[in-house]
Amino acid sequence: MKLLNVEVVLNREKGIQQAESEQDILKELDDETESYAILSHRWGVEVTYKEMIGLMKMEVPKREEVRKRNGYQKIIKCCEQAKKDGYQWLWIDTCCIDKRSSAELSEAINAMYRWYQNAQVCYAYLNDVEESVFPTGWDPRGKFKQSNGWPEWFMRGWTLQELIAPKRVEFFNKDWVHIGDKQSLARPLEVITSIPHEVLMNGLAAKRLCVAQIMSWAADRKTKRVEDRAYSLMGLFGVNMPMVYGEGKKAFQRLQLEIIRISSDHSIFAW
């Protein structure tokens, strides 16, 4: 996996040094042996891999436009948090995958559950939470009315595995104020997500689960691409398959076939 060098990113931002090559900003490292932090977040106006490694080569107006994006400020704040916590390396899906390469994108999506699982800490950034406490009350008519009464992070397809896979998840509000962690918030998280307390505390192996139950956790979640409804579940079921964007709902059929290949659990036919 390609990881951001936290110190280099922050030094570049401060103007201490001008890192201009991919090797300066990102480095290919082994997720099984390296210590790193990882980000889980809701996408907005983000910074791409190409923009991240080529920032200093841009014309000044373009560079300043990139630096003003919420997505860029999110990268900087996340790097600051990682440095504070003692991590040299950080992974963020928006800028650590060269999505121009279909092979690299497919490899990343197939490995993503493992990458979150192997991270020392996952920072869950709730960009629509302004309060300095975790929102434990259902708010279907207030500011969360567009996301079923909860912060939008809980309604996205990819964040399901990003909540379950890491051993340690730390939650932050829109201003990067720490508002809790997965362990201490396991009970309210169970209410929000329907994921059993035991699974939140100790992972998928902590409780005997049927396919239909895991599928049910994703039932109300949304993804931008229809194929991602299937791709975002691969890690939870321990299966791999090639990415074929454009196949539409066939992706979910392929996912079901891959699950059937490794499981005799007939509850899958409920989906």
mmCIF file with all atom_site columns, all heavy atoms in Angstrom, residues 39-41 91 93 112-113 116 122 153 158-166 169 182:
data_model
loop_
_atom_site.group_PDB
_atom_site.id
_atom_site.type_symbol
_atom_site.label_atom_id
_atom_site.label_alt_id
_atom_site.label_comp_id
_atom_site.label_asym_id
_atom_site.label_entity_id
_atom_site.label_seq_id
_atom_site.pdbx_PDB_ins_code
_atom_site.Cartn_x
_atom_site.Cartn_y
_atom_site.Cartn_z
_atom_site.occupancy
_atom_site.B_iso_or_equiv
_atom_site.pdbx_formal_charge
_atom_site.auth_seq_id
_atom_site.auth_comp_id
_atom_site.auth_asym_id
_atom_site.auth_atom_id
_atom_site.pdbx_PDB_model_num
ATOM 1   N N   . LEU A 1 39  ? -7.659  6.826  7.656  1.00 0.00 ? 39  LEU A N   1
ATOM 2   C CA  . LEU A 1 39  ? -8.819  7.717  7.772  1.00 0.00 ? 39  LEU A CA  1
ATOM 3   C C   . LEU A 1 39  ? -10.072 7.066  7.212  1.00 0.00 ? 39  LEU A C   1
ATOM 4   O O   . LEU A 1 39  ? -10.041 6.415  6.164  1.00 0.00 ? 39  LEU A O   1
ATOM 5   C CB  . LEU A 1 39  ? -8.554  9.032  7.020  1.00 0.00 ? 39  LEU A CB  1
ATOM 6   C CG  . LEU A 1 39  ? -9.718  10.039 6.970  1.00 0.00 ? 39  LEU A CG  1
ATOM 7   C CD1 . LEU A 1 39  ? -10.022 10.591 8.361  1.00 0.00 ? 39  LEU A CD1 1
ATOM 8   C CD2 . LEU A 1 39  ? -9.423  11.172 6.002  1.00 0.00 ? 39  LEU A CD2 1
ATOM 9   N N   . SER A 1 40  ? -11.191 7.276  7.903  1.00 0.00 ? 40  SER A N   1
ATOM 10  C CA  . SER A 1 40  ? -12.516 6.908  7.400  1.00 0.00 ? 40  SER A CA  1
ATOM 11  C C   . SER A 1 40  ? -13.348 8.182  7.379  1.00 0.00 ? 40  SER A C   1
ATOM 12  O O   . SER A 1 40  ? -13.429 8.880  8.389  1.00 0.00 ? 40  SER A O   1
ATOM 13  C CB  . SER A 1 40  ? -13.162 5.862  8.304  1.00 0.00 ? 40  SER A CB  1
ATOM 14  O OG  . SER A 1 40  ? -14.490 5.574  7.866  1.00 0.00 ? 40  SER A OG  1
ATOM 15  N N   . HIS A 1 41  ? -13.968 8.474  6.250  1.00 0.00 ? 41  HIS A N   1
ATOM 16  C CA  . HIS A 1 41  ? -14.637 9.768  6.113  1.00 0.00 ? 41  HIS A CA  1
ATOM 17  C C   . HIS A 1 41  ? -15.671 9.738  4.998  1.00 0.00 ? 41  HIS A C   1
ATOM 18  O O   . HIS A 1 41  ? -15.717 8.806  4.199  1.00 0.00 ? 41  HIS A O   1
ATOM 19  C CB  . HIS A 1 41  ? -13.600 10.861 5.804  1.00 0.00 ? 41  HIS A CB  1
ATOM 20  C CG  . HIS A 1 41  ? -12.888 10.654 4.487  1.00 0.00 ? 41  HIS A CG  1
ATOM 21  N ND1 . HIS A 1 41  ? -12.930 11.563 3.456  1.00 0.00 ? 41  HIS A ND1 1
ATOM 22  C CD2 . HIS A 1 41  ? -12.132 9.626  4.011  1.00 0.00 ? 41  HIS A CD2 1
ATOM 23  C CE1 . HIS A 1 41  ? -12.221 11.117 2.421  1.00 0.00 ? 41  HIS A CE1 1
ATOM 24  N NE2 . HIS A 1 41  ? -11.729 9.944  2.738  1.00 0.00 ? 41  HIS A NE2 1
ATOM 25  N N   . TRP A 1 91  ? -2.762  6.542  5.796  1.00 0.00 ? 91  TRP A N   1
ATOM 26  C CA  . TRP A 1 91  ? -3.428  6.177  4.543  1.00 0.00 ? 91  TRP A CA  1
ATOM 27  C C   . TRP A 1 91  ? -4.782  6.867  4.453  1.00 0.00 ? 91  TRP A C   1
ATOM 28  O O   . TRP A 1 91  ? -5.580  6.815  5.393  1.00 0.00 ? 91  TRP A O   1
ATOM 29  C CB  . TRP A 1 91  ? -3.626  4.664  4.446  1.00 0.00 ? 91  TRP A CB  1
ATOM 30  C CG  . TRP A 1 91  ? -4.065  4.210  3.072  1.00 0.00 ? 91  TRP A CG  1
ATOM 31  C CD1 . TRP A 1 91  ? -3.273  3.969  1.990  1.00 0.00 ? 91  TRP A CD1 1
ATOM 32  C CD2 . TRP A 1 91  ? -5.412  3.945  2.632  1.00 0.00 ? 91  TRP A CD2 1
ATOM 33  N NE1 . TRP A 1 91  ? -4.027  3.572  0.910  1.00 0.00 ? 91  TRP A NE1 1
ATOM 34  C CE2 . TRP A 1 91  ? -5.338  3.555  1.275  1.00 0.00 ? 91  TRP A CE2 1
ATOM 35  C CE3 . TRP A 1 91  ? -6.660  4.015  3.262  1.00 0.00 ? 91  TRP A CE3 1
ATOM 36  C CZ2 . TRP A 1 91  ? -6.476  3.224  0.541  1.00 0.00 ? 91  TRP A CZ2 1
ATOM 37  C CZ3 . TRP A 1 91  ? -7.790  3.683  2.522  1.00 0.00 ? 91  TRP A CZ3 1
ATOM 38  C CH2 . TRP A 1 91  ? -7.692  3.293  1.185  1.00 0.00 ? 91  TRP A CH2 1
ATOM 39  N N   . ASP A 1 93  ? -7.904  7.226  1.443  1.00 0.00 ? 93  ASP A N   1
ATOM 40  C CA  . ASP A 1 93  ? -8.296  6.645  0.161  1.00 0.00 ? 93  ASP A CA  1
ATOM 41  C C   . ASP A 1 93  ? -8.311  7.636  -0.997 1.00 0.00 ? 93  ASP A C   1
ATOM 42  O O   . ASP A 1 93  ? -8.038  7.275  -2.137 1.00 0.00 ? 93  ASP A O   1
ATOM 43  C CB  . ASP A 1 93  ? -9.658  5.948  0.279  1.00 0.00 ? 93  ASP A CB  1
ATOM 44  C CG  . ASP A 1 93  ? -10.757 6.852  0.813  1.00 0.00 ? 93  ASP A CG  1
ATOM 45  O OD1 . ASP A 1 93  ? -10.496 8.023  1.153  1.00 0.00 ? 93  ASP A OD1 1
ATOM 46  O OD2 . ASP A 1 93  ? -11.908 6.364  0.920  1.00 0.00 ? 93  ASP A OD2 1
ATOM 47  N N   . MET A 1 112 ? -8.674  -3.540 0.885  1.00 0.00 ? 112 MET A N   1
ATOM 48  C CA  . MET A 1 112 ? -9.028  -2.444 1.783  1.00 0.00 ? 112 MET A CA  1
ATOM 49  C C   . MET A 1 112 ? -9.456  -2.915 3.180  1.00 0.00 ? 112 MET A C   1
ATOM 50  O O   . MET A 1 112 ? -9.083  -2.303 4.180  1.00 0.00 ? 112 MET A O   1
ATOM 51  C CB  . MET A 1 112 ? -10.123 -1.584 1.154  1.00 0.00 ? 112 MET A CB  1
ATOM 52  C CG  . MET A 1 112 ? -10.129 -0.158 1.674  1.00 0.00 ? 112 MET A CG  1
ATOM 53  S SD  . MET A 1 112 ? -11.188 0.925  0.689  1.00 0.00 ? 112 MET A SD  1
ATOM 54  C CE  . MET A 1 112 ? -10.248 1.059  -0.839 1.00 0.00 ? 112 MET A CE  1
ATOM 55  N N   . TYR A 1 113 ? -10.228 -3.966 3.255  1.00 0.00 ? 113 TYR A N   1
ATOM 56  C CA  . TYR A 1 113 ? -10.641 -4.464 4.580  1.00 0.00 ? 113 TYR A CA  1
ATOM 57  C C   . TYR A 1 113 ? -9.404  -4.805 5.407  1.00 0.00 ? 113 TYR A C   1
ATOM 58  O O   . TYR A 1 113 ? -9.313  -4.444 6.583  1.00 0.00 ? 113 TYR A O   1
ATOM 59  C CB  . TYR A 1 113 ? -11.541 -5.689 4.436  1.00 0.00 ? 113 TYR A CB  1
ATOM 60  C CG  . TYR A 1 113 ? -12.107 -6.174 5.761  1.00 0.00 ? 113 TYR A CG  1
ATOM 61  C CD1 . TYR A 1 113 ? -13.309 -5.671 6.244  1.00 0.00 ? 113 TYR A CD1 1
ATOM 62  C CD2 . TYR A 1 113 ? -11.428 -7.122 6.540  1.00 0.00 ? 113 TYR A CD2 1
ATOM 63  C CE1 . TYR A 1 113 ? -13.831 -6.105 7.464  1.00 0.00 ? 113 TYR A CE1 1
ATOM 64  C CE2 . TYR A 1 113 ? -11.935 -7.554 7.752  1.00 0.00 ? 113 TYR A CE2 1
ATOM 65  C CZ  . TYR A 1 113 ? -13.136 -7.043 8.205  1.00 0.00 ? 113 TYR A CZ  1
ATOM 66  O OH  . TYR A 1 113 ? -13.641 -7.463 9.416  1.00 0.00 ? 113 TYR A OH  1
ATOM 67  N N   . TYR A 1 116 ? -7.590  -1.667 6.672  1.00 0.00 ? 116 TYR A N   1
ATOM 68  C CA  . TYR A 1 116 ? -8.236  -1.078 7.851  1.00 0.00 ? 116 TYR A CA  1
ATOM 69  C C   . TYR A 1 116 ? -8.016  -1.965 9.077  1.00 0.00 ? 116 TYR A C   1
ATOM 70  O O   . TYR A 1 116 ? -7.815  -1.486 10.184 1.00 0.00 ? 116 TYR A O   1
ATOM 71  C CB  . TYR A 1 116 ? -9.727  -0.855 7.595  1.00 0.00 ? 116 TYR A CB  1
ATOM 72  C CG  . TYR A 1 116 ? -9.996  0.461  6.887  1.00 0.00 ? 116 TYR A CG  1
ATOM 73  C CD1 . TYR A 1 116 ? -10.029 0.529  5.500  1.00 0.00 ? 116 TYR A CD1 1
ATOM 74  C CD2 . TYR A 1 116 ? -10.188 1.635  7.609  1.00 0.00 ? 116 TYR A CD2 1
ATOM 75  C CE1 . TYR A 1 116 ? -10.242 1.741  4.848  1.00 0.00 ? 116 TYR A CE1 1
ATOM 76  C CE2 . TYR A 1 116 ? -10.406 2.840  6.974  1.00 0.00 ? 116 TYR A CE2 1
ATOM 77  C CZ  . TYR A 1 116 ? -10.427 2.892  5.599  1.00 0.00 ? 116 TYR A CZ  1
ATOM 78  O OH  . TYR A 1 116 ? -10.624 4.088  4.957  1.00 0.00 ? 116 TYR A OH  1
ATOM 79  N N   . CYS A 1 122 ? -7.825  3.988  13.442 1.00 0.00 ? 122 CYS A N   1
ATOM 80  C CA  . CYS A 1 122 ? -8.647  4.548  12.371 1.00 0.00 ? 122 CYS A CA  1
ATOM 81  C C   . CYS A 1 122 ? -9.302  5.821  12.900 1.00 0.00 ? 122 CYS A C   1
ATOM 82  O O   . CYS A 1 122 ? -9.956  5.803  13.941 1.00 0.00 ? 122 CYS A O   1
ATOM 83  C CB  . CYS A 1 122 ? -9.717  3.550  11.927 1.00 0.00 ? 122 CYS A CB  1
ATOM 84  S SG  . CYS A 1 122 ? -10.901 4.223  10.731 1.00 0.00 ? 122 CYS A SG  1
ATOM 85  N N   . TRP A 1 153 ? -21.987 9.787  7.990  1.00 0.00 ? 153 TRP A N   1
ATOM 86  C CA  . TRP A 1 153 ? -20.961 8.743  7.976  1.00 0.00 ? 153 TRP A CA  1
ATOM 87  C C   . TRP A 1 153 ? -21.578 7.362  8.204  1.00 0.00 ? 153 TRP A C   1
ATOM 88  O O   . TRP A 1 153 ? -21.124 6.374  7.624  1.00 0.00 ? 153 TRP A O   1
ATOM 89  C CB  . TRP A 1 153 ? -19.929 9.047  9.071  1.00 0.00 ? 153 TRP A CB  1
ATOM 90  C CG  . TRP A 1 153 ? -18.727 8.164  9.095  1.00 0.00 ? 153 TRP A CG  1
ATOM 91  C CD1 . TRP A 1 153 ? -17.563 8.320  8.383  1.00 0.00 ? 153 TRP A CD1 1
ATOM 92  C CD2 . TRP A 1 153 ? -18.546 6.979  9.889  1.00 0.00 ? 153 TRP A CD2 1
ATOM 93  N NE1 . TRP A 1 153 ? -16.677 7.318  8.693  1.00 0.00 ? 153 TRP A NE1 1
ATOM 94  C CE2 . TRP A 1 153 ? -17.256 6.476  9.620  1.00 0.00 ? 153 TRP A CE2 1
ATOM 95  C CE3 . TRP A 1 153 ? -19.341 6.302  10.818 1.00 0.00 ? 153 TRP A CE3 1
ATOM 96  C CZ2 . TRP A 1 153 ? -16.757 5.331  10.235 1.00 0.00 ? 153 TRP A CZ2 1
ATOM 97  C CZ3 . TRP A 1 153 ? -18.841 5.159  11.420 1.00 0.00 ? 153 TRP A CZ3 1
ATOM 98  C CH2 . TRP A 1 153 ? -17.564 4.681  11.128 1.00 0.00 ? 153 TRP A CH2 1
ATOM 99  N N   . TRP A 1 158 ? -19.238 2.258  2.327  1.00 0.00 ? 158 TRP A N   1
ATOM 100 C CA  . TRP A 1 158 ? -17.853 1.894  2.631  1.00 0.00 ? 158 TRP A CA  1
ATOM 101 C C   . TRP A 1 158 ? -17.521 1.990  4.107  1.00 0.00 ? 158 TRP A C   1
ATOM 102 O O   . TRP A 1 158 ? -16.628 1.290  4.597  1.00 0.00 ? 158 TRP A O   1
ATOM 103 C CB  . TRP A 1 158 ? -16.892 2.777  1.824  1.00 0.00 ? 158 TRP A CB  1
ATOM 104 C CG  . TRP A 1 158 ? -16.849 2.438  0.371  1.00 0.00 ? 158 TRP A CG  1
ATOM 105 C CD1 . TRP A 1 158 ? -17.424 3.125  -0.654 1.00 0.00 ? 158 TRP A CD1 1
ATOM 106 C CD2 . TRP A 1 158 ? -16.200 1.307  -0.231 1.00 0.00 ? 158 TRP A CD2 1
ATOM 107 N NE1 . TRP A 1 158 ? -17.174 2.499  -1.853 1.00 0.00 ? 158 TRP A NE1 1
ATOM 108 C CE2 . TRP A 1 158 ? -16.431 1.386  -1.627 1.00 0.00 ? 158 TRP A CE2 1
ATOM 109 C CE3 . TRP A 1 158 ? -15.448 0.245  0.273  1.00 0.00 ? 158 TRP A CE3 1
ATOM 110 C CZ2 . TRP A 1 158 ? -15.934 0.442  -2.522 1.00 0.00 ? 158 TRP A CZ2 1
ATOM 111 C CZ3 . TRP A 1 158 ? -14.954 -0.707 -0.613 1.00 0.00 ? 158 TRP A CZ3 1
ATOM 112 C CH2 . TRP A 1 158 ? -15.198 -0.604 -1.991 1.00 0.00 ? 158 TRP A CH2 1
ATOM 113 N N   . THR A 1 159 ? -18.202 2.868  4.842  1.00 0.00 ? 159 THR A N   1
ATOM 114 C CA  . THR A 1 159 ? -17.840 3.058  6.247  1.00 0.00 ? 159 THR A CA  1
ATOM 115 C C   . THR A 1 159 ? -18.269 1.890  7.141  1.00 0.00 ? 159 THR A C   1
ATOM 116 O O   . THR A 1 159 ? -17.842 1.818  8.290  1.00 0.00 ? 159 THR A O   1
ATOM 117 C CB  . THR A 1 159 ? -18.429 4.376  6.800  1.00 0.00 ? 159 THR A CB  1
ATOM 118 O OG1 . THR A 1 159 ? -19.858 4.369  6.639  1.00 0.00 ? 159 THR A OG1 1
ATOM 119 C CG2 . THR A 1 159 ? -17.840 5.581  6.073  1.00 0.00 ? 159 THR A CG2 1
ATOM 120 N N   . LEU A 1 160 ? -19.061 0.967  6.617  1.00 0.00 ? 160 LEU A N   1
ATOM 121 C CA  . LEU A 1 160 ? -19.441 -0.207 7.408  1.00 0.00 ? 160 LEU A CA  1
ATOM 122 C C   . LEU A 1 160 ? -18.208 -1.036 7.742  1.00 0.00 ? 160 LEU A C   1
ATOM 123 O O   . LEU A 1 160 ? -17.944 -1.341 8.914  1.00 0.00 ? 160 LEU A O   1
ATOM 124 C CB  . LEU A 1 160 ? -20.469 -1.048 6.654  1.00 0.00 ? 160 LEU A CB  1
ATOM 125 C CG  . LEU A 1 160 ? -20.894 -2.360 7.335  1.00 0.00 ? 160 LEU A CG  1
ATOM 126 C CD1 . LEU A 1 160 ? -21.501 -2.103 8.703  1.00 0.00 ? 160 LEU A CD1 1
ATOM 127 C CD2 . LEU A 1 160 ? -21.873 -3.137 6.437  1.00 0.00 ? 160 LEU A CD2 1
ATOM 128 N N   . GLN A 1 161 ? -17.439 -1.412 6.723  1.00 0.00 ? 161 GLN A N   1
ATOM 129 C CA  . GLN A 1 161 ? -16.230 -2.204 6.993  1.00 0.00 ? 161 GLN A CA  1
ATOM 130 C C   . GLN A 1 161 ? -15.184 -1.360 7.734  1.00 0.00 ? 161 GLN A C   1
ATOM 131 O O   . GLN A 1 161 ? -14.376 -1.890 8.497  1.00 0.00 ? 161 GLN A O   1
ATOM 132 C CB  . GLN A 1 161 ? -15.635 -2.768 5.705  1.00 0.00 ? 161 GLN A CB  1
ATOM 133 C CG  . GLN A 1 161 ? -15.043 -1.754 4.744  1.00 0.00 ? 161 GLN A CG  1
ATOM 134 C CD  . GLN A 1 161 ? -14.295 -2.428 3.593  1.00 0.00 ? 161 GLN A CD  1
ATOM 135 O OE1 . GLN A 1 161 ? -14.320 -3.650 3.425  1.00 0.00 ? 161 GLN A OE1 1
ATOM 136 N NE2 . GLN A 1 161 ? -13.619 -1.624 2.778  1.00 0.00 ? 161 GLN A NE2 1
ATOM 137 N N   . GLU A 1 162 ? -15.220 -0.047 7.528  1.00 0.00 ? 162 GLU A N   1
ATOM 138 C CA  . GLU A 1 162 ? -14.248 0.831  8.173  1.00 0.00 ? 162 GLU A CA  1
ATOM 139 C C   . GLU A 1 162 ? -14.538 0.996  9.667  1.00 0.00 ? 162 GLU A C   1
ATOM 140 O O   . GLU A 1 162 ? -13.652 1.388  10.434 1.00 0.00 ? 162 GLU A O   1
ATOM 141 C CB  . GLU A 1 162 ? -14.219 2.178  7.458  1.00 0.00 ? 162 GLU A CB  1
ATOM 142 C CG  . GLU A 1 162 ? -13.678 2.061  6.033  1.00 0.00 ? 162 GLU A CG  1
ATOM 143 C CD  . GLU A 1 162 ? -14.004 3.258  5.150  1.00 0.00 ? 162 GLU A CD  1
ATOM 144 O OE1 . GLU A 1 162 ? -14.429 4.309  5.685  1.00 0.00 ? 162 GLU A OE1 1
ATOM 145 O OE2 . GLU A 1 162 ? -13.834 3.144  3.917  1.00 0.00 ? 162 GLU A OE2 1
ATOM 146 N N   . LEU A 1 163 ? -15.752 0.679  10.084 1.00 0.00 ? 163 LEU A N   1
ATOM 147 C CA  . LEU A 1 163 ? -16.096 0.656  11.499 1.00 0.00 ? 163 LEU A CA  1
ATOM 148 C C   . LEU A 1 163 ? -15.743 -0.689 12.125 1.00 0.00 ? 163 LEU A C   1
ATOM 149 O O   . LEU A 1 163 ? -15.234 -0.759 13.245 1.00 0.00 ? 163 LEU A O   1
ATOM 150 C CB  . LEU A 1 163 ? -17.590 0.940  11.688 1.00 0.00 ? 163 LEU A CB  1
ATOM 151 C CG  . LEU A 1 163 ? -18.154 0.810  13.113 1.00 0.00 ? 163 LEU A CG  1
ATOM 152 C CD1 . LEU A 1 163 ? -17.482 1.807  14.058 1.00 0.00 ? 163 LEU A CD1 1
ATOM 153 C CD2 . LEU A 1 163 ? -19.663 0.995  13.115 1.00 0.00 ? 163 LEU A CD2 1
ATOM 154 N N   . ILE A 1 164 ? -15.991 -1.768 11.390 1.00 0.00 ? 164 ILE A N   1
ATOM 155 C CA  . ILE A 1 164 ? -15.830 -3.116 11.942 1.00 0.00 ? 164 ILE A CA  1
ATOM 156 C C   . ILE A 1 164 ? -14.380 -3.589 11.932 1.00 0.00 ? 164 ILE A C   1
ATOM 157 O O   . ILE A 1 164 ? -13.893 -4.164 12.914 1.00 0.00 ? 164 ILE A O   1
ATOM 158 C CB  . ILE A 1 164 ? -16.715 -4.114 11.163 1.00 0.00 ? 164 ILE A CB  1
ATOM 159 C CG1 . ILE A 1 164 ? -18.200 -3.808 11.410 1.00 0.00 ? 164 ILE A CG1 1
ATOM 160 C CG2 . ILE A 1 164 ? -16.399 -5.560 11.557 1.00 0.00 ? 164 ILE A CG2 1
ATOM 161 C CD1 . ILE A 1 164 ? -19.144 -4.619 10.556 1.00 0.00 ? 164 ILE A CD1 1
ATOM 162 N N   . ALA A 1 165 ? -13.671 -3.356 10.829 1.00 0.00 ? 165 ALA A N   1
ATOM 163 C CA  . ALA A 1 165 ? -12.339 -3.952 10.649 1.00 0.00 ? 165 ALA A CA  1
ATOM 164 C C   . ALA A 1 165 ? -11.280 -3.473 11.645 1.00 0.00 ? 165 ALA A C   1
ATOM 165 O O   . ALA A 1 165 ? -10.555 -4.293 12.212 1.00 0.00 ? 165 ALA A O   1
ATOM 166 C CB  . ALA A 1 165 ? -11.856 -3.724 9.212  1.00 0.00 ? 165 ALA A CB  1
ATOM 167 N N   . PRO A 1 166 ? -11.139 -2.164 11.892 1.00 0.00 ? 166 PRO A N   1
ATOM 168 C CA  . PRO A 1 166 ? -10.042 -1.720 12.783 1.00 0.00 ? 166 PRO A CA  1
ATOM 169 C C   . PRO A 1 166 ? -10.301 -2.097 14.240 1.00 0.00 ? 166 PRO A C   1
ATOM 170 O O   . PRO A 1 166 ? -11.449 -2.080 14.697 1.00 0.00 ? 166 PRO A O   1
ATOM 171 C CB  . PRO A 1 166 ? -10.051 -0.186 12.627 1.00 0.00 ? 166 PRO A CB  1
ATOM 172 C CG  . PRO A 1 166 ? -10.899 0.105  11.429 1.00 0.00 ? 166 PRO A CG  1
ATOM 173 C CD  . PRO A 1 166 ? -11.889 -1.016 11.346 1.00 0.00 ? 166 PRO A CD  1
ATOM 174 N N   . VAL A 1 169 ? -10.977 2.580  16.720 1.00 0.00 ? 169 VAL A N   1
ATOM 175 C CA  . VAL A 1 169 ? -11.573 3.654  15.931 1.00 0.00 ? 169 VAL A CA  1
ATOM 176 C C   . VAL A 1 169 ? -11.801 4.854  16.844 1.00 0.00 ? 169 VAL A C   1
ATOM 177 O O   . VAL A 1 169 ? -12.443 4.725  17.898 1.00 0.00 ? 169 VAL A O   1
ATOM 178 C CB  . VAL A 1 169 ? -12.921 3.222  15.296 1.00 0.00 ? 169 VAL A CB  1
ATOM 179 C CG1 . VAL A 1 169 ? -13.528 4.387  14.506 1.00 0.00 ? 169 VAL A CG1 1
ATOM 180 C CG2 . VAL A 1 169 ? -12.730 2.006  14.397 1.00 0.00 ? 169 VAL A CG2 1
ATOM 181 N N   . LYS A 1 182 ? -14.531 3.691  19.542 1.00 0.00 ? 182 LYS A N   1
ATOM 182 C CA  . LYS A 1 182 ? -15.438 2.559  19.292 1.00 0.00 ? 182 LYS A CA  1
ATOM 183 C C   . LYS A 1 182 ? -15.702 1.747  20.553 1.00 0.00 ? 182 LYS A C   1
ATOM 184 O O   . LYS A 1 182 ? -16.839 1.301  20.770 1.00 0.00 ? 182 LYS A O   1
ATOM 185 C CB  . LYS A 1 182 ? -14.853 1.660  18.197 1.00 0.00 ? 182 LYS A CB  1
ATOM 186 C CG  . LYS A 1 182 ? -15.753 0.486  17.846 1.00 0.00 ? 182 LYS A CG  1
ATOM 187 C CD  . LYS A 1 182 ? -15.339 -0.229 16.568 1.00 0.00 ? 182 LYS A CD  1
ATOM 188 C CE  . LYS A 1 182 ? -14.061 -0.986 16.663 1.00 0.00 ? 182 LYS A CE  1
ATOM 189 N NZ  . LYS A 1 182 ? -13.865 -1.904 15.499 1.00 0.00 ? 182 LYS A NZ  1
#
